[in-house]
Amino acid sequence: MSIRNSLLALLLFAAHAYAESEHQALGRDAGELTQQPQWNLTITPDGRGLPVGHGTAAEGKKIFNHQCASCHGFDAIGGSAMPLVGEVGSLTSEYPEKTVNSYWPYATTLFDYIRRSMPPQAPYSLSSHQIYALCAYILSQDGIIEADVELNEVTLPQVTMPNRDGFSATNSH
Amino acid sequence: MTTPLHSRRQFLQQAALGSALVSYSLPRLAKADIDYRELLPESMTKAGGEFTNYGQPSPYEQQVIRWISANPDMPGNGVSWSPLHELQGTITPNGLHFERHHNGVPAIDPAQHQLLIDGLVDKPLVFSVDALKRYPMQSRICFIECGGNSNSSWRSQPILTAAGYAHGLVSNAEWTGIPVRLLLEEAGIKPEAKWVIAEAADGASLNVSIPLEKLMNDALLALYQNGERLRPENGYPLRLVLPGWEGIVNVKWLRQLRLSNAPAMSRDETAQYTDLMPNGSARQFSFEMASKSLITSPSQGMTLPDKPGIYQVTGLAWSGRGKITRVEVSADGGQTWVDAELQQPILSKAFTRFSLPWKWQGQYAVLQSRATDETGYIQPTREQLLKERGRHGFFHFNAIISWEVSEEGYISHVYPE
């Protein structure tokens, strides 16, 4: 490089050295990715993201005993892992218990969470039908849904949790 | 109120600070036939150990470890506590940074990892780790504290566990990475976007919602931790660092940022990391970690060897709302307070080390520290905190912590009356 050229390069560099915007945009067009199931895992309270499927409490109980009870206890009342049912209405008592049924504001969250995290040794191993069935089993334990109700992508978001209005967004101490 | 300097002197209670002049005379010349090998420590009479590719702490420091507390049936679910009571300064070494995992530490090959930014953006973008490494980076020293740190202090009996193993779900590091704003702007933010749903590539696919404003403000997509690439347990290859905000939203192993008009209402922002109040309702999205301090030494489980003796009362203070402006120390359970010295530099949303020499005469004492941050917020007493928040908040415990010193010099955790 001639002296003139290298001086020019130096000047260019110096002029832009501290401009934060001076970088190359390296994000690639995500294309089809945003449509693919593996990039659409989150399920929102309105039911967006729920897969097609259905299940009942009776089916769910079998799956639960087989796949979940070892940690959450039979009847989901707790083991080495927390209880998932019971204690509805306990939040103002001296010993409040935060279970799915007593505390969670949305039933859709249950589907979302079981699919992504449970059982811990094999997340995503359950089918959508099985997860609807597990939701039905857990929710029916406290009469949040009737024992014979089939949960599916339409009915699950319609479930009203007992503690639906128990939360207030805050960012102050 | 007395001036800090005067008070500090009082805190020392007229300790005689070794002012007497020591007489000093030169030794006689040594004899010619001395065998120095008998006189000198072994380390000086032989060649030392070899170089190491990656250095490890001294074998004499093997007790300085994270304390693991995990679910017996789900060993990847739990925490490991930073041994704050064994550390000095303000930077937490990478191997001792606290951990909270929901389903273990994933082994991620950076060549296979991608970050997707989608949802309410003009053009959804995907980034490889190699591409991200070419972006301009910033470094920021800040603490990360788990929302559940100190949660044993909600219990009715004080836990008798070393300071770090009860309050060490907080650590402080220099994080280096890309301002998240740069990447979001590259994708083009739609005006309806208010929240960003962040998702991890771990065995829990952890997902939480973060206000877009925070990501545009001071969030980093961190690739480096104290100068080296992130440790696997701290999010390798990519994590969010949201200065001052509770650990859960500093998403490790980040794979996706989806811009949205509403939060996802995921399990970790509803069932967990929400603060149950006495009236049965819960605070949600209580992201900021309020001002807090902890005496790390002397602390629970230690003993004071000399009576009377001078001890350096030292600890850490931090606030998710800015800089620490003051730390006071009490030796009488909060009846009188003395300003501690704050180590410079004092950084916003980072650990500040405080210290104060204390002359212990052998009396019963209760040591406490109390932090104030630049918003004027003062760390509450446990009583004040419980009054406001009840007994079942579980998260965000930031009250004053008390160490009782017995006449024998034993130190234990207490709840003062």
Side-chain angles (χ1 to χ4, degrees):
Chain A
M1 212 192 302
S2 74
I3 288 178
R4 206 176 133 255
N5 275 351
S6 59
L7 266 180
L8 192 69
L10 193 73
L11 274 175
L12 275 174
F13 181 72
H16 296 279
Y18 298 105
E20 201 178 53
S21 59
E22 244 352 79
H23 70 271
Q24 197 176 328
L26 294 166
R28 285 178 289 112
D29 180 355
E32 291 302 294
L33 238 53
T34 65
Q35 303 308 319
Q36 291 170 353
Q38 67 270 33
W39 295 101
N40 286 282
L41 298 175
T42 291
I43 294 160
T44 45
D46 56 13
R48 245 184 315 160
L50 277 173
V52 175
H54 54 85
T56 62
E59 293 156 11
K61 182 178 175 137
K62 286 192 206 126
I63 303 161
F64 194 89
N65 287 345
H66 189 59
Q67 302 240 36
C68 322
S70 57
C71 297
H72 291 285
F74 282 98
D75 301 326
I77 54 169
S80 65
M82 61 270 272
L84 304 176
V85 305
E87 306 287 347
V88 174
S90 75
L91 298 178
T92 48
S93 75
E94 201 181 337
Y95 300 103
E97 275 290 349
K98 294 183 272 185
T99 69
V100 173
N101 290 348
S102 74
Y103 193 59
W104 292 33
Y106 301 103
T108 45
T109 306
L110 188 54
F111 192 107
D112 177 278
Y113 181 73
I114 294 174
R115 185 170 67 178
R116 67 180 61 241
S117 298
M118 293 290 143
Q121 66 282 6
Y124 301 103
S125 61
L126 299 168
S127 71
S128 299
H129 302 305
Q130 288 176 309
I131 302 174
Y132 281 115
L134 284 164
C135 292
Y137 171 63
I138 292 167
L139 297 171
S140 69
Q141 292 285 86
D142 288 296
I144 296 170
I145 59 167
E146 298 292 321
D148 54 359
V149 165
E150 180 190 272
L151 285 184
N152 55 42
E153 68 278 11
V154 177
T155 53
L156 183 67
Q158 291 167 356
V159 173
T160 306
M161 297 299 282
N163 196 39
R164 167 68 187 81
D165 299 320
F167 294 82
S168 55
T170 175
N171 200 6
S172 67
H173 194 75
Chain B
M1 204 174 65
T2 50
T3 66
L5 205 74
H6 182 57
S7 318
R8 282 172 61 80
R9 200 176 303 130
Q10 281 181 335
F11 208 68
L12 269 166
Q13 293 171 345
Q14 290 101 37
L17 276 170
S19 57
L21 279 175
V22 179
S23 62
Y24 189 81
S25 59
L26 287 172
R28 276 171 293 149
L29 286 181
K31 290 200 219 94
D33 57 354
I34 274 184
D35 187 347
Y36 282 97
R37 288 171 299 186
E38 286 169 10
L39 302 175
L40 290 169
E42 210 187 323
S43 63
M44 295 175 72
T45 61
K46 63 176 194 184
E50 289 171 14
F51 294 88
T52 48
N53 291 115
Y54 199 97
Q56 296 296 316
S58 157
Y60 298 100
E61 297 297 321
Q62 279 175 5
Q63 80 285 6
V64 184
I65 53 169
R66 293 190 284 224
W67 190 259
I68 300 166
S69 164
N71 182 298
D73 289 327
M74 189 181 169
N77 185 275
V79 295
S80 77
W81 305 81
S82 206
L84 299 179
H85 52 284
E86 300 272 14
L87 303 178
Q88 268 289 359
T90 56
I91 297 292
T92 313
N94 286 342
L96 297 174
H97 194 287
F98 89 88
E99 301 168 273
R100 167 70 173 117
H101 310 311
H102 291 261
N103 198 6
V105 180
I108 297 176
D109 174 356
Q112 305 299 323
H113 191 77
Q114 291 185 311
L115 173 67
L116 174 66
I117 298 181
D118 69 350
L120 295 174
V121 294
D122 299 329
K123 18 176 215 318
L125 295 176
V126 63
F127 296 86
S128 70
V129 176
D130 274 344
L132 291 169
K133 281 161 91 174
R134 289 178 51 195
Y135 276 76
M137 297 200 193
Q138 290 177 2
S139 294
R140 166 118 199 207
I141 296 174
C142 63
F143 75 86
I144 297 178
E145 182 175 21
C146 175
N149 191 25
S150 306
N151 60 28
S152 61
S153 291
W154 293 102
R155 296 187 201 155
S156 54
Q157 294 300 317
I159 191 168
L160 299 181
T161 308
Y165 300 157
H167 307 284
L169 294 185
V170 57
S171 297
N172 194 62
E174 184 197 53
W175 302 99
T176 302
I178 307 156
V180 176
R181 182 171 55 78
L182 285 189
L183 304 174
L184 297 181
E185 281 171 351
E186 188 175 323
I189 302 164
K190 292 219 162 112
E192 317 90 88
K194 294 282 173 292
W195 291 82
V196 179
I197 300 159
E199 187 173 82
D202 66 336
S205 307
L206 188 137
N207 62 341
V208 289
S209 313
I210 299 163
L212 175 63
E213 203 186 341
K214 177 68 174 177
L215 293 184
M216 295 300 284
N217 182 12
D218 62 356
L220 284 181
L221 177 67
L223 285 86
Y224 295 83
Q225 172 186 0
N226 291 331
E228 62 179 359
R229 290 300 303 281
L230 299 176
R231 290 291 172 92
E233 68 269 35
N234 267 294
Y236 186 86
L238 305 170
R239 80 170 299 168
L240 286 177
V241 171
L242 272 47
W245 282 24
E246 60 183 353
I248 186 74
V249 287
N250 291 251
V251 177
K252 298 182 284 188
W253 315 296
L254 188 73
R255 77 191 286 263
Q256 186 176 15
L257 292 173
R258 170 162 290 181
L259 280 69
S260 159
N261 58 358
M265 298 295 174
S266 75
R267 178 255 188 177
D268 284 307
E269 63 203 25
T270 54
Q272 308 292 330
Y273 306 98
T274 48
D275 320 326
L276 187 61
M277 300 290 279
N279 68 1
S281 75
R283 301 191 321 184
Q284 192 181 20
F285 305 121
S286 49
F287 299 117
E288 277 178 350
M289 299 310 292
S291 173
K292 184 166 171 182
S293 69
L294 170 74
I295 296 173
T296 52
S297 178
S299 61
Q300 158 65 39
M302 299 179 186
T303 41
L304 304 181
D306 294 323
K307 168 183 172 171
I310 299 176
Y311 297 91
Q312 305 303 317
V313 176
T314 184
L316 296 165
W318 61 96
S319 164
R321 302 201 186 115
K323 289 183 184 177
I324 290 293
T325 50
R326 183 181 199 189
V327 179
E328 300 155 282
V329 168
S330 173
D332 54 15
Q335 288 167 51
T336 59
W337 295 92
V338 177
D339 279 83
E341 188 167 318
L342 304 184
Q343 181 187 295
Q344 300 293 328
I346 298 169
L347 302 173
S348 179
K349 305 174 186 179
F351 275 179
T352 296
R353 169 72 58 183
F354 65 88
S355 60
L356 184 69
W358 174 50
K359 174 142 189 206
W360 181 55
Q361 304 282 12
Q363 79 281 19
Y364 175 88
V366 175
L367 293 172
Q368 297 180 330
S369 63
R370 175 169 80 180
T372 305
D373 70 14
E374 64 182 326
T375 69
Y377 174 91
I378 302 172
Q379 185 182 8
T381 64
R382 186 169 178 276
E383 206 183 344
Q384 286 168 338
L385 187 79
L386 294 191
K387 197 163 164 236
E388 188 202 335
R389 306 261 312 277
R391 304 194 145 264
H392 304 285
F394 193 78
F395 299 99
H396 291 268
F397 184 95
N398 73 317
I400 290 169
I401 290 141
S402 307
W403 307 128
E404 175 192 77
V405 184
S406 75
E407 287 175 10
E408 294 75 36
Y410 297 128
I411 299 178
S412 42
H413 181 208
V414 291
Y415 295 154
E417 313 289 88

